[in-house]
Amino acid sequence: MLARFTIERAKILPNEKKSFLLRIDPRLWAAMEKLAAAELRSVNSQIEYLLREAALKRGMKLGVDDVDMPTAKARKK
């Protein structure tokens, strides 16, 4: 069973960001660049958005941002 992940367990302040190196296939990077440009985000923000969206779909609780994440559909209106 997948353990529930929370901000409290990570001991990270809500406004603090964790930096890490990501090795990624160049074709996937190019796709992220296109998607980010279409949604007016940086690639970093786009990857963070997609990771957050995937975590929420799997039932993970991430903190106060859980309810404040706009969908691409809502932004395009």
Side-chain angles (χ1 to χ4, degrees), residues 2-76:
L2 185 64
R4 296 268 183 219
F5 178 82
T6 64
I7 294 273
E8 293 77 27
R9 283 189 187 164
K11 296 181 182 174
I12 296 173
L13 299 174
N15 296 330
E16 187 178 330
K17 299 267 183 162
K18 172 71 176 159
S19 296
F20 70 98
L21 177 65
L22 176 65
R23 299 181 199 282
I24 191 168
D25 182 285
R27 294 167 294 189
L28 180 55
W29 180 261
M32 290 295 101
E33 286 180 316
K34 286 176 78 173
L35 185 57
E39 296 194 2
L40 303 174
R41 290 191 177 107
S42 68
V43 175
N44 187 70
S45 293
Q46 187 66 36
I47 291 170
E48 185 176 1
Y49 176 86
L50 293 172
L51 288 171
R52 182 181 304 277
E53 185 178 55
L56 291 172
K57 283 183 180 177
R58 290 178 178 243
M60 293 178 159
K61 300 294 181 193
L62 303 176
V64 295
D65 292 337
D66 291 359
V67 294
D68 293 337
M69 192 174 117
T71 63
K73 206 181 266 188
R75 279 193 318 277
K76 289 181 182 179

